[in-house]
């Protein structure tokens, strides 16, 4: 623990009482009514209050409720739009059941509810103003105004743009061709107002609120002025807008201050003098909810360590805990949202259990609530410093063994700590090791969680003293079997958030050292080559060229040797190696802890997006006419050309990979890319997949990136050359004797020239382009030199690219011929090639997955521009995209999952 600091006197200038945030005088009084009067006045005279707290806080719980509300509105609209029979039957049943209600009762309920729904918010506002809580009223008014605006927008959208089924579910017909409003313009603002001011958290007002809402809903429903879906939509909009407003502007901060802490300590029998804030509050996401810590000195007796936990700190890391709970299997996670009493009872139980197990842990001597929004736990003061605060030279082997002895004591009673980071290990001035931060622990833990604690402490100590000393201390205390059992859990997903961040930082440092070593070897080889060139300048050219090739090969070998020498194992691998020296037969295969892997989630989202776009595009086509007009021979030819494109893509990739990679698996990877590009831009998804595939095939990461970059760079140049060549040929088709290029090609070349001049003339753009191009060529050019030395590889790459373009042009031509009639003008291959190359360029540049929208529009307009009728161009483009984009999705998904299971992507 770091030396404490005075919370007010040393960190902030004294401020007048009028500038301090005053606690709420109603139910939020932190210490209750017994702390009023003399004790409160004494607390105000005690020095040591902390600096001013922010007046407003943004609660993650408000954001969660906002997201839940939005999701509920979407689900309601979906049900209302697609379950028309259900909604109609529900309305008929309600009308039949309420039709027997007496008219007098209906009118009386409507009158009472219409009056009460306005009087209740006004009464609550008066009550809040009397208790000087005007900020809540302002929040409520803002939420009501926003809810009214959302209501008007929803009404307009339903009336003008919504489907007929949705209008029927949300409105009731009225005399004179009129209908009711889909959302009630006065009820939604009232709900938003009452939610934002916190009326629902007060029992008496909550009962009155629900009675009024139910009475109003009953009166409007029975009277035929609304529908059940309209009532639910009104409540959801008011509720969602209220929490969105609270999250945007922040909720009033009701955190207890240091003065409230002093009063609370007096309330449980202590006589505090000063309260000093501790400096070691962590910033890491996995420990940011452990509370604020104070060092409190007493009039008589030793000082105390006090932990204050409030609702805001308790909500810290909420989304991270939810994600861990959903993704990790076989590991019990504490509830994402605990009540303050549950958090208090859990930490108290773990504190008593740790001491009963024989571990050195802070002794809990008192607990108490600080009002409805905070609790405090009072511990005996230990003093000392945390493991993170110690210098490396201060961490002795005895200290590390002491930490392992505490873990052994905890595990003897099956207590899991779950947070064995450097902040949780405390060393007092006598060198005694204590374990703290037991709040996230677990009683009666399973074997998996206990082994995770061993893996976590091995990593924590290994980061400070190295893997050898860390493993030696663990073996001395726990024994070889217990340490070896943790190896399958020695993986980043099983470690704490802060530890994973440290491991990533070390990985970046290792990569930087490797790059520096390679660059140094490259510079040395270049200097040696320059000296040899100077000496052999007078020799013959043949000898000089042979010497140059030899020196380039020597430079490559020197770079590889430097990379091998600079390569370092990561910490987890070093720990495994040390343990395997003692237990060679220990299992090292990582245990699968993830229930939902990011790749699985990615596959699910990709499938949903693909299905959505496929359905949206397919529903717009007249398949009856398409099927009747299509010539199935050409359809089969288009399918064959589409299948051949994956072989060509594999050739174009392997042509720039000097290493040996399986051709069959490469073809499967290209088929899998047809699934990936559905959820990513065409120029991004394929690059990432191919890079990952080459790495898993044994190609080094840097070389894999360079190979894919070389393929993409060469493909870009080939694409531009082919576009220019076919464009030139298209312009000469009508006048072959003159060989005059088309005006479009000339205009395009002039535009490119002007853009190049603009970029080179503006310093900012010139620097930007030069930097990007230099970084690209830094890795690609050496890879290209490796490929150039292997003519067979270079021929494979170039041939694959030309074949890839050719089969796509043939596929588009077959699609056109499938719908061409006797009167349809014949298009040359040059014209179709220009249309395809231009459309493919737009698809690569478009940010939409697979270039959807951009490619279809460009190809259709291009075919029409070169003379094809619209009636033929539209179905031809649809068939082409069906063969090259949509039909390969299912095979691509199967290949993607197959390669994933095999660990090849």
């Amino acid at each position: 623990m770091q030396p404490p600091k005075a919370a007010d006197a040393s960190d902030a200038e004294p401020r007048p009482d009028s500038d301090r945030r005053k606690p709420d005088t109603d139910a939020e009084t932190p210490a209750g009514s017994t702390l009023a009067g003399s004790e409160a006045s004494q607390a105000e005279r005690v020095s040591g209050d902390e600096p001013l707290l922010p007046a407003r806080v943004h609660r993650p719980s408000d954001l969660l409720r906002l997201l839940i509300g939005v999701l509920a509105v979407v689900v309601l609209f979906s049900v209302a739009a697609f379950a028309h029979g259900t909604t109609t039957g529900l309305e008929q049943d309600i009308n039949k059941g309420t039709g027997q209600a007496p008219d007098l009762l209906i009118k009386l309920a409507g009158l009472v509810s219409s009056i009460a729904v306005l009087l209740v918010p006004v009464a609550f506002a008066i009550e809040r103003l009397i208790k000087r809580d005007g900020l809540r009223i302002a929040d409520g008014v803002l939420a009501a105004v926003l809810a009214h605006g959302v209501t008007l927008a929803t009404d307009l959208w339903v009336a003008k743009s919504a489907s007929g089924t949705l209008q029927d579910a949300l409105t009731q017909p009225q005399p004179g061709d009129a209908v009711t409003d889909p959302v009630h313009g006065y009820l939604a603002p009232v709900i938003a107002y009452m939610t934002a001011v916190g009326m629902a958290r007060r029992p008496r007002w909550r009962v009155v609120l629900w009675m009024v809402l139910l009475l109003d809903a009953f009166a409007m429903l029975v009277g035929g002025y609304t529908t059940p879906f309209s009532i639910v939509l009104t409540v959801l909009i008011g509720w969602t807008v209220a929490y969105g407003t609270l999250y945007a502007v922040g909720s009033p901060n009701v955190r207890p201050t240091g003065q409230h802490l002093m009063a609370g300590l007096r309330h449980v029998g202590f006589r505090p003098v000063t309260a000093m804030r501790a400096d070691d509050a962590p910033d890491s996401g996995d420990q940011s909810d452990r509370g604020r810590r104070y060092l409190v000195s007493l009039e008589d007796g030793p000082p105390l360590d006090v932990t204050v936990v409030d609702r805001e700190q308790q909500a810290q890391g909420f989304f991270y805990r939810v994600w861990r709970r959903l993704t990790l299997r076989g590991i019990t996670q504490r509830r994402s949202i605990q009540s303050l009493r549950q958090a208090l009872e859990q930490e108290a139980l773990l504190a008593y259990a740790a001491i009963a197990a024989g571990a050195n842990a802070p002794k809990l001597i008192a607990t108490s609530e600080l009002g409805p929004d905070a609790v405090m736990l009072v511990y005996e003061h230990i003093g000392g410093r945390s493991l993170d605060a110690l210098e490396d030279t201060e961490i002795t082997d005895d200290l590390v063994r002491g930490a392992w002895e505490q873990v052994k004591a905890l595990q003897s009673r099956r207590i899991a700590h779950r947070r064995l980071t450097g902040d949780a290990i405390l060393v007092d001035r006598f060198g005694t090791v204590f374990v703290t931060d037991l709040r996230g622990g677990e009683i009666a833990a399973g074997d998996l969680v206990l082994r995770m604690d061993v893996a976590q402490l091995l990593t924590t100590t290994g980061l400070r003293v190295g893997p050898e000393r860390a493993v030696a201390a663990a073996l001395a205390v726990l024994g070889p079997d217990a340490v070896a059992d943790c190896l399958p859990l020695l993986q980043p997903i099983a470690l704490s958030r802060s530890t994973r961040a440290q491991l990533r930082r070390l990985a970046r440092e290792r990569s930087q050292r490797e790059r520096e070593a390679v660059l140094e070897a490259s510079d040395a080889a270049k200097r040696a080559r320059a000296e040899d060139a100077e000496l052999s300048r007078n020799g013959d050219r043949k000898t000089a060229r042979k010497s140059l090739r030899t020196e380039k090969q020597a430079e490559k070998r020197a770079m590889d040797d430097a990379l091998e020498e600079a390569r370092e194992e990561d910490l987890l691998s070093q720990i495994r190696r040390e343990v395997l020296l003692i237990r060679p037969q220990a299992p090292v295969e990582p245990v699968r802890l993830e229930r939902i892997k990011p790749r699985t989630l990615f596959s699910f989202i990709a499938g949903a997006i693909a299905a959505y776009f496929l359905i949206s595009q397919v529903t717009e086509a007249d398949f009856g006419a398409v099927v009747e007009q299509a010539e199935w021979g050409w359809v089969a030819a288009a399918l064959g050309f589409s299948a051949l494109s994956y072989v060509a893509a594999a050739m174009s990739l392997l042509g720039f990979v000097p290493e040996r990679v399986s051709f069959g698996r490469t073809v499967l990877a290209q088929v899998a890319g047809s699934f990936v590009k559905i959820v990513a831009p065409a120029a991004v998804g394929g690059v990432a997949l191919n890079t990952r595939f080459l790495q898993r095939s044994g190609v080094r990461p840097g070389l894999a990136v360079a190979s894919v970059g070389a393929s993409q760079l060469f493909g870009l140049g080939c694409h531009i050359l082919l576009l220019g060549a076919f464009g030139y040929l298209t312009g000469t088709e009508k006048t072959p004797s003159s060989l005059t290029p088309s005006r479009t090609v000339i205009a395009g070349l002039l535009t490119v020239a002007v853009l190049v001049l603009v970029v080179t003339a503006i310093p900012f753009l010139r620097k930007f382009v030069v930097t990007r191009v230099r970084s690209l060529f830094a890795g690609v050019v050496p890879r290209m030199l490796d490929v150039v030395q292997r003519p067979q590889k270079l021929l494979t790459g170039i041939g694959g690219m030309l074949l890839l373009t050719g089969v796509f042009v043939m596929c588009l031509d077959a699609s056109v011929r499938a719908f061409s009639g006797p009167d349809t003008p014949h298009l040359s291959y040059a014209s179709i090639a220009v249309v395809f190359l231009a459309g493919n360029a737009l698809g690569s540049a478009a940010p939409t997955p697979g270039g959807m929208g951009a490619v279809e529009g460009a190809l259709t307009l291009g075919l029409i521009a070169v003379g094809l009728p619209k009636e033929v161009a539209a179905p031809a483009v649809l068939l082409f995209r069906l063969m090259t984009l949509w039909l390969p999705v299912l095979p691509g998904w199967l290949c993607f999952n197959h390669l994933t299971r095999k660990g090849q992507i």
Side-chain angles (χ1 to χ4, degrees), residues 312-618:
E312 305 308 325
Q313 286 175 318
Q314 189 188 25
Q316 292 292 327
F318 166 76
F319 294 106
Y320 174 72
R321 291 197 298 272
V322 170
W323 174 250
R324 296 276 288 185
R325 190 179 184 89
L326 291 174
T327 56
L328 296 186
R329 65 168 71 195
I331 302 175
T332 55
Q333 295 282 331
R334 75 177 177 90
R335 294 177 58 182
S336 299
I337 297 182
Q338 288 180 313
S339 67
L340 286 172
R341 178 156 293 277
Q342 287 174 331
L344 176 68
E345 292 172 350
Q346 180 182 7
E347 186 165 352
L349 176 61
L350 284 163
Y352 293 138
I355 294 176
N360 296 330
K363 183 178 179 182
L364 181 67
I365 57 178
T367 59
S368 178
E369 291 185 349
L370 295 179
D373 295 302
V375 295
M376 71 174 181
L377 299 99
V378 183
Y379 293 93
E380 286 186 349
H381 178 63
I382 297 176
R385 293 179 293 168
S386 66
L387 185 68
D388 286 344
L390 296 176
E391 298 292 338
D392 291 342
T393 55
E394 299 179 274
I395 304 177
T396 62
D397 292 338
D398 291 337
L399 191 152
V400 179
R401 283 194 293 269
W404 282 109
E405 288 170 357
Q406 307 313 308
V407 173
K408 182 179 180 181
L410 292 175
Q411 298 205 350
S412 67
R413 301 295 177 86
R414 306 200 68 81
I415 301 174
H417 188 283
R418 305 296 298 275
R419 285 180 172 178
L420 286 172
T421 58
D423 282 329
I425 300 173
L426 195 67
V427 183
D428 67 4
R429 61 181 180 275
F430 302 109
T432 305
V433 179
F434 290 78
V435 286
T436 62
D437 296 337
L438 289 163
R439 183 183 173 201
E442 185 177 330
I443 302 293
D447 291 336
L448 190 65
V449 180
L450 296 178
R451 291 158 60 194
M452 285 180 63
D453 268 2
V454 177
Q456 174 64 59
L457 188 56
L458 272 175
T459 309
T460 299
T461 54
L463 287 169
R464 297 304 311 274
V465 301
E468 297 86 358
R469 293 174 60 189
V471 172
L475 293 172
V477 177
L478 298 183
D481 293 335
V483 177
D485 287 342
C486 82
L487 292 187
L489 293 166
L490 203 63
Q491 47 182 308
I493 190 64
L495 305 177
S496 68
R497 202 174 187 178
S498 58
T499 304
R500 295 200 302 271
Q502 287 182 281
L503 293 176
R504 288 194 296 268
R505 177 180 56 80
L506 293 177
R508 290 194 296 269
E509 293 176 356
R510 289 197 306 271
S511 299
Q512 180 63 29
R513 288 193 294 270
E514 291 175 1
R515 286 194 295 269
E516 291 175 354
V518 171
L519 290 176
E520 184 177 352
S522 176
D523 292 340
K526 289 179 181 179
R527 288 194 297 269
R529 188 171 60 191
E531 294 175 358
D532 294 342
E534 184 69 23
L535 295 175
S536 60
R537 179 175 298 175
N538 298 326
D540 60 345
R541 294 183 178 180
K542 183 177 181 180
T543 303
R545 285 196 300 269
K546 183 177 180 181
S547 176
L548 179 61
R549 287 195 300 270
T550 303
E551 290 170 357
K552 287 183 178 180
Q553 294 174 356
E555 179 182 354
K556 183 177 181 299
R557 287 194 300 270
M559 293 171 62
D560 292 339
D561 294 341
L563 181 61
E564 287 295 334
E565 293 178 1
R567 192 178 300 278
E568 304 174 21
E569 280 188 309
D570 62 279
L571 178 64
L572 300 184
S573 299
Q574 295 179 47
I575 293 175
R576 292 190 193 97
R577 188 182 69 245
E578 293 296 325
V579 176
L580 290 175
L581 293 176
I582 306 299
R583 282 287 187 271
Q585 72 278 11
V588 295
E589 185 68 23
V591 174
R592 183 178 176 183
L593 299 176
E594 293 175 292
R595 179 184 292 111
I596 302 176
K597 289 187 175 182
R599 189 179 291 109
T600 304
L601 186 62
F602 168 80
S603 301
F604 176 77
I605 296 174
I609 295 176
Y612 170 78
F613 280 107
L614 177 60
I615 293 173
S616 63
Q617 288 200 1
V618 165

Side-chain angles (χ1 to χ4, degrees), residues 71-85:
L71 179 62
V73 171
V74 173
V75 171
L76 178 69
F77 281 145
S78 302
V79 173
F82 296 105
H84 179 65

Side-chain angles (χ1 to χ4, degrees), residues 55-78:
R56 289 182 173 270
V57 291
H58 301 276
R59 295 176 177 172
S61 58
D62 292 336
L63 177 59
L64 177 65
R65 292 186 177 98
L66 169 64
L67 297 177
I68 292 175
V70 173
L71 179 62
V73 171
V74 173
V75 171
L76 178 69
F77 281 145
S78 302

Side-chain angles (χ1 to χ4, degrees), residues 630-901:
E631 295 185 16
W632 293 101
W634 287 111
V635 173
L639 180 61
F641 288 128
S642 175
L644 186 60
S645 66
Y646 297 103
V647 178
M651 293 173 57
S652 65
L653 175 63
L654 293 181
F656 296 90
V657 183
E659 292 81 5
R660 185 177 181 82
V661 179
S662 171
F663 183 79
R665 289 200 300 267
T666 306
V667 174
L668 292 180
Q670 305 313 304
V671 178
S674 64
F675 166 72
V676 173
K677 68 182 180 182
I678 292 297
V679 293
V684 177
V687 172
L689 181 70
N690 287 329
T691 303
R692 177 77 171 177
F693 169 73
L694 292 179
Q695 292 178 8
R696 289 302 181 94
S697 299
V699 182
R700 294 175 184 173
L703 299 180
V705 174
S707 294
V708 176
S711 175
Q712 293 290 318
L713 184 63
F714 197 91
L716 176 62
C718 183
H719 193 99
I720 294 174
L721 291 176
L722 289 175
L723 182 61
F726 283 117
Y728 187 93
L729 293 176
T730 303
T732 62
E733 286 177 350
K734 296 183 179 180
T735 55
S737 59
S738 62
L739 293 178
T740 304
S742 66
R743 295 182 178 181
T744 304
V745 175
I746 296 176
L749 293 176
L750 291 177
T751 302
V752 172
V754 171
L755 290 176
V756 171
L757 290 176
V758 170
V759 170
T760 55
I762 301 176
F764 170 75
L765 294 176
R766 183 173 64 249
K767 182 178 179 181
F768 176 80
V769 173
V770 169
T771 303
R772 293 302 178 91
V773 172
R774 183 181 298 169
S775 62
L776 176 64
F777 277 83
V780 171
V781 172
R783 198 60 166 168
M784 291 292 294
L785 294 177
D786 293 339
V787 175
V788 169
Q789 296 175 8
R790 302 186 181 186
Q792 184 178 0
K793 282 285 185 179
L794 184 61
L795 182 62
T796 301
I798 297 175
M801 289 180 180
L802 295 177
L803 178 61
L804 183 62
T805 302
V807 295
F808 275 129
V809 171
M810 296 301 293
C811 182
L812 181 57
D813 178 68
S815 301
V816 171
R817 292 176 184 271
F819 299 98
S820 297
D823 299 331
T824 303
H826 176 69
L827 299 181
S828 66
Y829 287 112
S831 300
I832 294 178
V834 170
V835 172
F836 165 74
L837 292 171
N840 190 47
L842 288 176
S844 300
T848 57
M852 284 180 285
V855 173
E856 288 82 355
L859 292 179
T860 303
L861 292 177
L863 291 176
I864 294 174
V866 295
L868 198 66
K870 180 181 179 181
E871 294 76 12
V872 177
V877 171
L878 175 63
L879 177 62
F880 175 75
R881 293 292 279 173
L882 184 66
M883 295 297 177
T884 59
L885 181 66
W886 296 114
L887 281 184
V889 169
L890 180 58
W893 179 74
L894 295 175
C895 293
F896 184 86
N897 287 334
H898 172 74
L899 295 176
T900 300
R901 287 195 302 270

